[in-house]
Amino acid sequence: MALSNSSVLWGSGARSLHWLMAILIVVLGIVGLYMAGLPNSPDKIRIYAIHKSVGLTVLALAILRLLWRLGNRRPTDLPMPAWQAWSAHAVHGLLYVLMFALPLSGWLYNSASGYPLQWFWTVQLPSLTGGADPALKPIAHAIHEWGFYVLGALVIAHAGAALRHHFVDRDETLLRMLPGLRRFRAEPPATTSSSLPNIEKHPSATATIPENKP
């Protein structure tokens, strides 16, 4: 499978980034909902640290994915109503915005809270506020929290649309993004004069019909 996209298929690079980010985002959402109800404890601090590190990983992958997208052509859209094409592009655009907005707002919230930020206890990241900022802290938290709910709704809509294309419309929208599944309808071969049998050169074509003479 080609690394780059073609006119009809997403390449392995785009597919890998898509599914890796999808898995990480779902895990982040589940862990985020779980840790919000935990009492203060060393375990909660460790879970928060992992949540932040995975969020930073998603931010780095989002940057890579955007650069990859800009450097690769997008496969041609399959035939569909105009409103479906418009809504699909709108959802994709919003997903890209939120893939950046959520980790950045989390980073901003962490900075405004006055906490240090490390990526998996190895790389120290700078504060975005230069220290605690009580005025900015609730704003960053609101963006992070409500952005998560919007992202969840968009992911559900995105997945639902892909399943509808697959099971109802029966087109290849989903198959073009699934690894290892490439079942495109083959175009019927064009009929040309060279593909037709050359009856002029066939022996039966030049055979003479005997005359019935008395």
Side-chain angles (χ1 to χ4, degrees), residues 13-30:
R15 292 187 186 197
S16 300
L17 288 170
H18 175 275
W19 290 111
L20 177 58
M21 292 189 67
I23 293 171
L24 292 179
I25 288 172
V26 170
V27 170
L28 279 171
I30 295 173

Side-chain angles (χ1 to χ4, degrees), residues 166-194:
H166 187 72
F167 292 106
V168 178
D169 299 334
R170 295 188 177 277
D171 61 28
E172 285 120 8
T173 298
L174 179 59
L175 293 178
R176 297 202 299 181
M177 186 53 76
L178 287 175
L181 292 178
R182 186 180 179 183
R183 300 201 307 263
F184 291 98
R185 301 182 183 91
E187 293 292 336
T191 302
T192 60
S193 58
S194 60

Side-chain angles (χ1 to χ4, degrees), residues 6-169:
S6 68
S7 60
V8 295
L9 185 68
W10 295 100
S12 59
R15 292 187 186 197
S16 300
L17 288 170
H18 175 275
W19 290 111
L20 177 58
M21 292 189 67
I23 293 171
L24 292 179
I25 288 172
V26 170
V27 170
L28 279 171
I30 295 173
V31 173
L33 292 173
Y34 168 74
M35 70 185 189
L38 292 177
N40 292 330
S41 66
D43 288 339
K44 183 175 183 178
I45 294 175
R46 282 191 291 269
I47 293 174
Y48 261 85
I50 295 173
H51 180 82
K52 296 173 186 178
S53 296
V54 176
L56 291 171
T57 303
V58 169
L59 177 60
L61 290 174
I63 296 172
L64 177 60
R65 185 174 177 179
L66 180 60
L67 294 175
W68 188 265
R69 179 69 174 272
L70 294 175
N72 282 266
R73 60 178 173 174
R74 174 187 172 86
T76 305
D77 289 337
L78 295 175
M80 66 181 71
W83 70 267
Q84 285 189 10
W86 180 89
S87 60
H89 289 297
V91 169
H92 288 158
L94 289 174
L95 284 172
Y96 267 93
V97 171
L98 290 170
M99 284 189 296
F100 283 93
L102 260 72
L104 286 174
S105 61
W107 188 351
L108 185 63
Y109 174 69
N110 187 84
S111 300
S113 301
Y115 296 130
L117 182 61
Q118 289 184 335
W119 183 74
F120 289 111
W121 301 279
T122 56
V123 180
Q124 184 74 33
L125 279 82
S127 171
L128 297 179
T129 58
D133 190 333
L136 188 57
K137 178 180 175 179
I139 298 175
H141 182 269
I143 295 173
H144 194 68
E145 180 179 9
W146 288 103
F148 163 73
Y149 294 127
V150 175
L151 177 63
L154 290 175
V155 168
I156 293 173
H158 180 64
L163 293 175
R164 183 186 185 279
H165 277 287
H166 187 72
F167 292 106
V168 178
D169 299 334

